[in-house]
Amino acid sequence: QQQVKQSPQSLIVQKGGISIINCAYENTAFDYFPWYQQFPGKGPALLIAIRPDVSEKKEGRFTISFNKSAKQFSLHIMDSQPGDSATYFCAASSTTASKLTFGTGTRLQVTL
Amino acid sequence: GAVVSQHPSWVICKSGTSVKIECRSLDFQATTMFWYRQFPKQSLMLMATSNEGSKATYEQGVEKDKFLINHASLTLSTLTVTSAHPEDSSFYICSAREREWKETQYFGPGTRLLVL
């Protein structure tokens, strides 16, 4: 019940296109859903996060869509750029258990 | 703001020796710090949660006598890999949670450990 399933495993998008990464969770106690970006050899960096009281959150080119009934959330990267090429991890946690449960990661490559 | 540093960034050691990795929150106080391990092309695996001034809580399957964690202050946690072996070679990453913002974890840049 602690799993967070992430798809796709890898993604190739042309420059200017939209990158979409999906995650699904099982634990209904989860109430915090962050997305992290990780470049090779670096630690993850927080991109954007959402709580289940809203269905969408946008920060610049990054948008999280959240579907509480389906227990799914997704990251949309608009106008994808080569500099966005990285591995993206979704995660989830609950206020009662502070630790994050990570998805398996998506390797995004944005081509010219 | 919310910067977490790790030292060293990489370390090579001989099998059987111990290695200490430091994790510091530079501009905030962190009541809770987390230690993760990441293998190539894999996700982050939580090893343990450390709270300032108390014993760390280890995840199932993580040997607490091998991976010693100390969280002596609100800005510093250390992970010591004791009697390291080649299978301990990995990328170790810490994260810290601000006192006021319970959910958000800020990650350090990671430490790459190679045990020969």
Side-chain angles (χ1 to χ4, degrees):
Chain A
Q1 210 181 15
Q2 291 295 318
Q3 244 185 339
V4 177
K5 295 181 180 179
Q6 184 171 346
S7 64
Q9 187 176 8
S10 62
L11 181 62
I12 300 175
V13 173
Q14 277 195 326
K15 179 182 175 182
I18 302 173
S19 304
I20 302 174
I21 305 171
N22 301 299
C23 285
Y25 63 98
E26 299 170 357
N27 188 345
T28 54
F30 286 151
D31 56 5
Y32 174 69
F33 304 89
W35 284 89
Y36 286 88
Q37 178 190 57
Q38 186 180 31
F39 293 103
K42 306 293 183 183
L46 179 66
L47 262 182
I48 186 172
I50 197 168
R51 295 185 66 86
D53 51 346
V54 296
S55 60
E56 186 175 283
K57 183 175 181 180
K58 183 177 181 180
E59 288 185 2
R61 296 186 294 111
F62 301 95
T63 300
I64 299 179
S65 297
F66 185 82
N67 185 328
K68 187 175 181 178
S69 60
K71 292 187 285 186
Q72 296 175 347
F73 58 109
S74 61
L75 175 69
H76 295 228
I77 305 174
M78 313 300 286
D79 186 26
S80 298
Q81 299 296 312
D84 297 330
S85 297
T87 299
Y88 292 81
F89 292 97
C90 63
S93 70
S94 67
T95 49
T96 54
S98 59
K99 58 185 182 182
L100 287 170
T101 299
F102 279 89
T104 50
T106 297
R107 297 185 72 187
L108 171 65
Q109 182 182 355
V110 181
T111 61
L112 293 171
Chain B
V3 178
V4 177
S5 70
Q6 278 184 244
H7 179 80
S9 56
W10 60 271
V11 56
I12 301 173
C13 70
K14 292 182 179 179
S15 185
T17 60
S18 294
V19 175
K20 180 184 284 188
I21 303 170
E22 291 186 349
C23 176
R24 293 181 184 273
S25 56
L26 298 185
D27 51 2
F28 66 98
Q29 292 184 326
T31 53
T32 306
M33 289 184 170
F34 303 84
W35 286 95
Y36 295 83
R37 186 173 181 176
Q38 187 178 35
F39 291 106
K41 298 184 180 181
Q42 291 191 22
S43 188
L44 288 81
M45 183 187 75
L46 180 65
M47 299 174 66
T49 301
S50 80
N51 292 293
E52 184 263 339
S54 61
K55 289 184 178 180
T57 302
Y58 290 82
E59 295 298 301
Q60 192 172 12
V62 177
E63 299 176 59
K64 61 181 180 181
D65 294 331
K66 181 167 188 63
F67 299 100
L68 301 179
I69 292 172
N70 184 282
H71 192 161
S73 76
L74 285 171
T75 59
L76 173 65
S77 176
T78 59
L79 167 68
T80 301
V81 183
T82 63
S83 186
H85 291 283
E87 57 265 30
D88 298 325
S89 299
S90 189
F91 193 50
Y92 292 88
I93 313 172
C94 72
S95 72
R97 195 178 64 191
E98 285 188 273
R99 177 180 278 175
E100 290 79 16
W101 301 96
K102 286 173 39 178
E103 302 96 351
T104 304
Q105 288 186 31
Y106 298 97
F107 283 80
T111 296
R112 186 159 303 281
L113 170 63
L114 177 61
V115 184
L116 302 176

